[in-house]
């Protein structure tokens, strides 16, 4: 919070209580340390900085979570094997393929939603349809397995 108090990007005038010598209410201007004020974004620059700060923790967090889950799954597989039971936890390869299949479904959903929005918000000028060359294309980080694998896993 201290970082936001000192940035000076947003100041707010608030009632100070009492009245001045002319009988008008007193006000004072203060630094406003929040991202929003009554539902309005106080500073786009401040919001961008906040999201960058939060986002810097996201990748390491999920990487650590993935590694700890892999270790835990492997520990449970070994415990099942030692006890002579069949493990109910699929191999890491299968789990990776399921994750990729989920990404493909999510990607398809985003593309479908984007197309639907483009159809409902298309802009025309006279009789000529304007094409938006900057159409939505979600970023994907890896390839996705084929549809037959998705059906086997699903």
């Amino acid at each position: 919070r201290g970082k936001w108090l000192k940035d000076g990007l947003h100041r707010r005038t608030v009632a100070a209580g009492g009245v001045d010598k002319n009988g008008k209410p007193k006000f004072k201007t203060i630094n406003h340390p929040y991202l929003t004020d009554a539902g309005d974004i106080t500073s786009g620059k401040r919001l961008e900085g906040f999201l960058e700060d939060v986002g810097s923790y996201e990748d390491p967090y999920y990487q650590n979570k993935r590694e700890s889950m892999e270790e835990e799954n492997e520990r449970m597989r070994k415990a099942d094997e030692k006890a002579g039971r069949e493990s109910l936890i699929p191999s890491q390869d299968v789990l990776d393929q399921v994750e990729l299949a989920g990404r493909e479904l999510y990607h398809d959903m985003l593309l479908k939603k984007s197309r639907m929005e483009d159809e409902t918000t298309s802009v025309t000028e006279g009789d000529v349809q304007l094409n938006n060359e900057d159409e939505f294309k979600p970023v994907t980080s890896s390839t996705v397995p084929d549809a037959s694998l998705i059906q086997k896993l699903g």
Side-chain angles (χ1 to χ4, degrees), residues 86-119:
E86 180 182 344
S87 180
L88 298 177
I89 300 171
S91 70
Q92 192 58 44
D93 291 337
V94 171
L95 293 174
D96 289 342
Q97 291 173 346
V98 169
E99 182 179 341
L100 289 173
R103 286 183 188 181
E104 179 181 342
L105 293 172
Y106 181 71
H107 178 263
D108 290 345
M109 183 268 310
L110 290 175
L111 287 174
K112 181 178 179 182
K113 182 168 178 54
S114 173
R115 287 186 196 116
M116 287 176 19
E117 287 175 357
D118 287 346
E119 290 173 3

Side-chain angles (χ1 to χ4, degrees), residues 46-152:
R46 179 184 284 178
L47 178 61
E48 183 179 359
F50 173 77
L51 292 175
E52 286 175 0
D53 289 348
V54 170
S56 69
Y57 294 99
E58 190 174 55
D59 287 340
Y61 170 80
Y62 284 110
Q63 182 62 31
N64 184 42
K65 184 176 180 178
R66 178 183 175 90
E67 289 171 3
S68 64
M69 285 300 297
E70 287 174 5
E71 291 169 2
E72 180 66 14
N73 287 343
E74 187 60 31
R75 185 193 64 76
M76 289 191 299
R77 282 187 208 102
K78 286 181 181 179
D80 286 342
E81 184 180 334
K82 185 176 180 180
R85 296 184 300 247
E86 180 182 344
S87 180
L88 298 177
I89 300 171
S91 70
Q92 192 58 44
D93 291 337
V94 171
L95 293 174
D96 289 342
Q97 291 173 346
V98 169
E99 182 179 341
L100 289 173
R103 286 183 188 181
E104 179 181 342
L105 293 172
Y106 181 71
H107 178 263
D108 290 345
M109 183 268 310
L110 290 175
L111 287 174
K112 181 178 179 182
K113 182 168 178 54
S114 173
R115 287 186 196 116
M116 287 176 19
E117 287 175 357
D118 287 346
E119 290 173 3
T120 60
T121 60
S122 62
V123 178
T124 59
E125 186 174 311
D127 295 327
V128 179
Q129 178 76 22
L130 300 176
N131 286 336
N132 182 6
E133 295 190 15
D134 294 328
E135 72 181 45
F136 175 71
K137 293 182 178 87
V139 176
T140 56
S141 59
S142 62
T143 59
V144 182
D146 61 2
S148 62
L149 177 63
I150 294 171
Q151 288 179 335
K152 289 178 189 176

